[in-house]
Amino acid sequence: MKLRKASLALATGLALSLTLTACGGGSGSDDGKITIGIKFDQPGVGLKTADGEYTGFDVDVATYVAKELGYDAKNIEWKQAPSANRETLIRNGDVKFVAASYTINDKRKAEVDFAGPYFLAHQDLLVRADDDAGIKKVEDLNSKKLCSVTGSTSAQNVKDKLAPKADLQPFGGYSECLTGLENKAVDALTTDDSILAGYAAQKEHQGKFKLVGLKMSDEPYGIGLKKGDKELRDKINKALEKMKKDGSWDKFVKKNFGAANYAYEPAPEITETS
């Protein structure tokens, strides 16, 4: 009798263990929850607001994808994914995936895999709405004051390759650049047009700034995931295709960037399939 009871207890324990394992979901997910990496400081793209809400195009895209993977919005745990930490978060399994203005390039693909792209951004310039500095093309930045966010390569790329006489003005962050632009301490700010549009669309900034509309680079945003996870990549790509077809992609773009009159590109073709 004791032996039968012990065998029954062992079988019950094994069944419970298998059930818990099945519910776990693997890297970045546990007990029906999923952890997703986003930016916390990019209005219109990925922002954690003062009241603890998460907003932006990447947030909407990631929420849609998570739902297609079987996770309700209430079960998403958002994790800050600064540019320098994205690959580490993915490799360590701290997140299931990253959607954080994450440009697909060969250097990053050596460390992680991507799904997508789901958006095509370009490096652009933000100027004052009245364009009193007369900046119509990148060469017009020569002798003009260009905001350079500490640690950013965008402004340096302009100076090195496109407008060598541009006067770089270092600031601690984009918000400081916007204040400098409004106060005429600088004449332009440069980074991805999606990020610039997000700032310009903020309620406190509406009508003050505009994008010049240059395309100084191509920045295809992808969803980063652990290298070799073909199953997850294929599922995310399927979700992204559905998002485009059912109109959600357009809705998300207009919701987050519409106030900036941003001439965005159509949803790009998905290329990260192998």
Side-chain angles (χ1 to χ4, degrees):
M1 181 67 72
K2 289 182 179 180
L3 180 60
R4 289 180 62 190
K5 287 182 178 180
S7 299
L8 179 61
L10 179 61
T12 302
L14 179 59
L16 179 60
S17 174
L18 290 171
T19 300
L20 290 173
T21 300
C23 292
S27 171
S29 59
D30 184 53
D31 296 333
K33 295 186 180 296
I34 184 171
T35 303
I36 301 172
I38 58 169
K39 291 292 180 69
F40 279 15
D41 58 353
Q42 292 180 345
V45 180
L47 179 71
K48 182 179 181 180
T49 65
D51 57 2
E53 296 296 316
Y54 298 92
T55 65
F57 181 74
D58 281 352
V59 175
D60 289 335
V61 169
T63 301
Y64 186 101
V65 169
K67 184 178 180 181
E68 291 300 305
L69 293 177
Y71 300 94
D72 292 334
K74 65 182 180 181
N75 290 327
I76 297 173
E77 295 180 354
W78 301 108
K79 191 174 186 68
Q80 188 171 18
S83 296
N85 297 347
R86 289 176 295 202
E87 289 82 17
T88 301
L89 290 171
I90 293 168
R91 280 199 310 268
N92 291 348
D94 296 323
V95 295
K96 187 75 169 180
F97 61 81
V98 167
S101 54
Y102 201 2
T103 298
I104 300 169
N105 61 37
D106 290 341
K107 181 179 178 182
R108 290 167 179 162
K109 286 171 70 171
E111 299 186 55
V112 301
D113 279 347
F114 284 95
Y118 61 91
F119 193 81
L120 179 59
H122 304 283
Q123 186 179 344
D124 198 2
L125 300 173
L126 192 72
V127 297
R128 288 180 287 277
D130 60 6
D131 191 26
D132 60 341
I135 299 171
K136 307 292 185 184
K137 55 187 184 298
V138 68
E139 291 83 3
D140 294 334
L141 287 171
N142 285 312
S143 76
K144 297 292 196 304
K145 294 180 179 179
L146 176 64
C147 181
S148 172
V149 175
T150 304
S152 169
T153 60
S154 296
Q156 195 62 50
N157 286 341
V158 170
K159 186 171 178 63
D160 290 346
K161 302 174 183 178
L162 303 170
K165 294 183 180 178
D167 181 10
L168 294 188
Q169 300 288 313
F171 283 75
Y174 290 117
S175 295
E176 294 173 51
C177 279
L178 287 164
T179 300
L181 187 57
E182 184 177 3
N183 296 337
K184 301 190 177 183
V186 297
D187 299 307
L189 162 62
T190 187
T191 188
D192 293 0
D193 52 8
S194 59
I195 298 171
L196 296 176
Y199 277 107
Q202 281 187 296
K203 187 174 181 180
E204 63 269 30
H205 296 144
Q206 288 178 19
K208 296 180 180 178
F209 310 111
K210 67 178 182 181
L211 282 78
V212 176
L214 305 180
K215 296 180 179 180
M216 296 183 279
S217 68
D218 290 335
E219 307 293 339
Y221 291 171
I223 291 180
L225 57 139
K226 187 164 285 189
K227 198 160 185 65
D229 195 342
K230 182 180 183 299
E231 181 180 0
L232 178 59
R233 185 196 64 210
D234 291 347
K235 287 180 178 179
I236 293 176
N237 279 338
K238 184 177 179 181
L240 295 176
E241 288 284 10
K242 182 179 178 182
M243 182 179 68
K244 288 192 290 183
K245 290 178 181 177
D246 68 14
S248 296
W249 187 91
D250 290 292
K251 182 178 73 174
F252 297 156
V253 171
K254 291 172 184 175
K255 169 188 169 185
N256 292 291
F257 304 126
N261 295 316
Y262 173 31
Y264 55 86
E265 299 273 9
E269 179 183 353
I270 289 175
T271 59
E272 299 303 308
T273 58
S274 60

